[in-house]
């Protein structure tokens, strides 16, 4: 058997209907460099989606490579209960310089879903131990996505991921999320007063007293199709949470480390959450690591004599893994020394211009929305009515397959195509990606 045959014999790929692999065989990648991946046959693929949004600084970044080579000769892992190591301590020290004001305590885990689970348990126990045993529920936005474990699924609300498992999930209260492309108030995201916030106000009026925490993907609902909403919504949400004594959890797993043009999405609103979850770009996509960051106030509610039973009895085998911490430190070094965010801002303007010039007038492109280097192309059957394609047509998937033939990884979110490239991508590489995307769209939908 060749590698493809062996793959299909043994491997159950994530987020896939494996029957699709009968037609579209797995692509065996041999190596990566910058924004490009190379398969075993030598074909080149431009990774415009950052390999599920985590490859922050390009494949095989030399600075991160060197940091890992150095660390692996020192220490690969150590139990993180009662033990520590310099990379973890230094990483926390450096993150303190860039995270939203007030966050100060770091709880390590090994992936984004685990960071969310940690945040949910932490907020529940905090309310319990500060005299609010009635606060047992969670709030979230409709169309939200926070991970695949049961707690994370419960505070997500996309049927694609969660509907099957509803009998296993805790009951949560959902708030109608902002949908700025199809705004029910006929407003524009760049000039509105977040009239849709009335849904949040009603939900808090009905359920705020029983709610321990509200979790949100700040400014970008990624899996919902890169739905982008204004910073004002976060400001209003912060005030509402304060009014009802509800903790605000920021799921910055996909939006952190410059993806939205600022270091964290909450920075656009100049406010701070009570708990923040980070992962993906934290290690540049090299190693699975996540951190749940919270405040001294929340930490202090767990600080007591052991006999009081207030300790946070939550752990992960790979908490604080030295290799992951070293990769994360290298990411911080590159972000600082190479002025990555400043350069990415220039590239983001270039990408917006090129996509608008190339695709905005296409009869099936309803909107091209963007924040930072994240750009989303919403495909519709009617631009005026904003009518979506029938999901059964799998239009995004058809374009994805055509783009793969051309050497562009353009994995869709339903009828939404998106660019979310490494922050180190060049204008020439962006032009290449736009051209290949336009070609793929034209071959499926016409020019």
């Amino acid at each position: 058997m060749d590698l493809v045959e062996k793959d299909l014999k043994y491997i159950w790929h994530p987020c896939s209907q494996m029957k699709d692999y009968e037609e579209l065989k797995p692509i065996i990648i041999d190596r990566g460099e910058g924004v490009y991946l190379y398969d075993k046959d030598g074909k080149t693929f431009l990774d415009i989606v950052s390999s599920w949004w985590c490859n922050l600084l390009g494949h095989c970044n030399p600075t991160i490579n060197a940091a890992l080579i150095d660390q692996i000769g020192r220490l690969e892992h150590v139990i993180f209960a009662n033990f520590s190591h310099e990379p973890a301590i230094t990483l926390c020290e450096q993150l303190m310089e860039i995270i939203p004001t007030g966050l100060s305590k770091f709880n390590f885990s090994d992936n984004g879903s685990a960071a969310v689970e940690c945040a949910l348990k932490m907020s529940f126990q905090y309310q319990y131990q500060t005299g609010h045993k009635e606060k047992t529920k969670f709030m979230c936005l409709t169309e939200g996505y926070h991970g695949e474990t049961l707690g994370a699924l419960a505070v997500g609300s996309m049927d694609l991921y969660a509907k099957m498992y509803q009998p296993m999930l805790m009951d949560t209260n959902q708030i109608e999320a902002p949908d700025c492309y199809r705004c029910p108030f006929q407003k524009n995201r760049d000039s509105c007063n977040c009239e849709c916030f009335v849904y949040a106000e009603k939900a808090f009026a009905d359920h705020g007293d029983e709610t321990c925490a509200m979790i949100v993907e700040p400014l970008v609902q990624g899996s919902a199709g890169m739905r982008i909403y204004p910073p004002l919504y976060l400001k209003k949400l912060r005030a509402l949470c304060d009014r009802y004594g509800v903790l605000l959890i920021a799921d910055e797993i996909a939006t952190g480390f410059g993806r939205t043009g600022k270091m964290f999405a909450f920075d656009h609103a100049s406010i701070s959450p009570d708990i923040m979850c980070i992962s993906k770009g934290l290690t540049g996509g090299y190693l699975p690591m996540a951190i749940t960051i919270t405040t001294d106030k929340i930490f202090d509610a767990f600080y007591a004599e052991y006999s009081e039973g207030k300790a946070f009895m939550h752990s992960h085998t790979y908490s604080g893994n030295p290799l992951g911490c070293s990769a994360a430190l290298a990411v911080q070094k590159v972000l600082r020394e190479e002025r990555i965010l400043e350069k990415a801002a220039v590239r983001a303007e270039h990408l917006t211009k090129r996509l608008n010039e190339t695709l905005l007038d296409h009869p099936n492109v309803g909107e091209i929305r963007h924040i930072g280097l994240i750009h989303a192309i919403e495909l519709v059957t009617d631009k005026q009515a904003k009518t979506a394609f029938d999901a059964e047509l799998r239009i995004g998937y058809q374009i994805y397959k055509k783009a793969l033939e051309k050497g562009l990884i353009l994995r869709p979110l339903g009828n939404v195509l998106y660019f979310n490239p490494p922050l180190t991508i060049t204008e020439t590489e962006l032009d290449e990606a736009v051209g290949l995307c336009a070609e793929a769209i034209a071959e499926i939908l016409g020019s």
Side-chain angles (χ1 to χ4, degrees):
M1 292 189 295
D2 62 18
L3 287 173
V4 170
E5 291 169 329
K6 290 180 180 179
D7 177 286
L8 292 174
K9 180 178 180 179
Y10 299 118
I11 296 176
W12 192 343
H13 286 269
C15 203
S16 298
Q17 172 46 260
M18 290 303 299
K19 188 172 177 56
D20 286 342
Y21 286 52
E22 293 178 9
E23 175 199 3
L24 182 59
K25 306 294 185 185
I27 298 164
I28 311 300
I29 296 299
D30 183 60
R31 64 186 182 89
E33 182 178 353
V35 299
Y36 295 102
L37 294 165
Y38 303 86
D39 74 8
K40 295 291 287 187
D41 298 321
K43 183 173 180 177
T44 303
F45 295 88
L46 201 166
D47 185 4
I48 204 66
V49 299
S50 295
S51 288
W52 258 338
W53 319 350
C54 67
N55 187 271
L56 193 71
L57 301 172
H59 295 283
C60 290
N61 182 282
T63 301
I64 305 176
N65 285 358
L68 285 172
I69 290 168
D70 178 69
Q71 181 60 43
I72 205 166
R74 297 168 180 264
L75 177 66
E76 83 301 341
H77 187 59
V78 63
I79 180 175
F80 211 52
N82 260 123
F83 291 84
S84 191
H85 50 83
E86 187 174 354
I89 296 165
T90 304
L91 176 60
C92 294
E93 188 176 40
Q94 291 189 8
L95 289 175
M96 278 295 297
E97 298 177 5
I98 62 171
I99 59 178
T101 303
L103 297 175
S104 57
K105 296 294 184 181
F106 300 77
N107 189 293
F108 286 79
S109 52
D110 53 9
N111 66 79
S113 298
V116 168
E117 295 283 337
C118 176
L120 299 178
K121 291 172 65 178
M122 186 182 288
S123 56
F124 179 94
Q125 189 172 342
Y126 167 81
Q127 297 284 14
Y128 184 92
Q129 290 177 179
T130 55
H132 297 287
K133 295 181 182 180
E134 76 284 0
K135 289 184 170 292
T136 60
K137 294 285 190 74
F138 292 92
M139 277 195 201
C140 56
L141 295 178
T142 57
E143 298 304 304
Y145 175 83
H146 300 284
E148 300 289 356
T149 48
L150 291 179
L153 276 178
V155 294
S157 51
M158 295 189 69
D159 284 350
L160 177 64
Y161 304 103
K163 185 175 182 179
M164 172 65 69
Y165 308 105
Q166 280 302 323
M168 302 170 64
L169 305 180
M170 62 182 173
D171 184 34
T172 58
N173 293 311
Q174 298 178 10
I175 298 170
E176 187 68 28
D179 185 353
C180 298
Y181 177 50
R182 296 180 176 88
C183 176
F185 299 89
Q186 308 303 312
K187 300 293 182 178
N188 183 293
R189 69 166 62 84
D190 297 321
S191 58
C192 74
N193 193 40
C194 291
E195 283 76 5
C196 60
F197 198 73
V198 295
Y199 301 131
E201 291 173 330
K202 183 179 187 310
F204 271 76
D206 292 342
H207 305 291
D209 291 343
E210 66 179 3
T211 301
C212 67
M214 165 85 197
I215 186 167
V216 63
E217 295 168 274
L219 303 190
V220 185
Q221 286 193 292
S223 292
M226 298 296 181
R227 284 169 50 162
I228 299 168
Y229 60 92
L232 178 61
Y233 193 95
L234 291 181
K235 286 188 175 183
K236 290 188 171 190
L237 191 58
R238 173 73 277 176
L240 197 58
C241 286
D242 289 343
R243 190 189 318 165
Y244 283 89
V246 172
L247 297 181
L248 181 54
I249 302 171
D251 178 352
E252 292 259 12
I253 291 160
T255 54
F257 302 103
R259 287 296 190 188
T260 65
K262 291 185 180 291
M263 189 62 73
F264 296 100
F266 260 67
D267 294 339
H268 289 273
S270 300
I271 58 171
S272 297
D274 299 296
I275 303 174
M276 184 167 77
C277 303
I278 57 175
S279 188
K280 289 192 183 290
L282 173 64
T283 67
Y286 268 68
L287 289 162
M289 191 171 80
I291 310 177
T292 304
I293 314 174
T294 191
T295 62
D296 283 347
K297 180 179 180 181
I298 292 176
F299 174 83
D300 289 345
F302 295 78
Y303 197 84
E305 295 295 335
Y306 182 82
S307 59
E308 294 183 38
K310 291 185 175 181
F312 191 45
M313 300 303 291
H314 178 93
S315 65
H316 289 271
T317 301
Y318 289 99
S319 292
N321 177 259
L323 294 172
C325 291
S326 294
L329 283 169
V331 167
Q332 291 305 306
K333 175 181 172 67
V334 174
L335 289 174
R336 282 193 313 272
E337 296 182 0
E338 299 183 23
R339 298 173 47 247
I340 295 296
L341 266 61
E342 293 94 324
K343 294 176 182 177
V346 175
R347 307 276 159 70
E349 289 184 9
H350 176 81
L351 178 55
T352 302
K353 181 173 182 291
R354 291 288 290 115
L355 281 173
N356 286 342
E357 291 172 347
T358 307
L359 289 172
L360 193 56
D361 291 334
H362 191 285
N364 296 119
V365 174
E367 181 183 51
I368 301 175
R369 50 185 173 266
H370 60 91
I371 183 169
L373 269 169
I374 298 172
H375 286 64
I377 305 158
E378 178 126 3
L379 302 173
V380 295
T381 60
D382 186 305
K383 290 176 79 114
Q384 293 302 316
K386 302 180 180 179
T387 308
F389 279 96
D390 186 333
E392 292 188 5
L393 296 174
R394 303 184 74 186
I395 291 298
Y397 181 67
Q398 303 307 322
I399 295 170
Y400 163 67
K401 290 191 293 183
K402 190 61 65 175
L404 280 178
E405 293 177 11
K406 299 174 180 299
L408 179 68
I409 303 176
L410 194 66
R411 186 176 174 88
L413 296 161
N415 292 322
V416 176
L417 309 174
Y418 69 91
F419 284 27
N420 192 8
L423 301 186
T424 50
I425 195 168
T426 67
E427 292 184 3
T428 300
E429 292 161 347
L430 287 170
D431 290 345
E432 178 187 356
V434 171
L436 294 174
C437 177
E439 290 177 16
I441 290 174
E443 292 189 27
I444 299 299
L445 296 175
S447 61

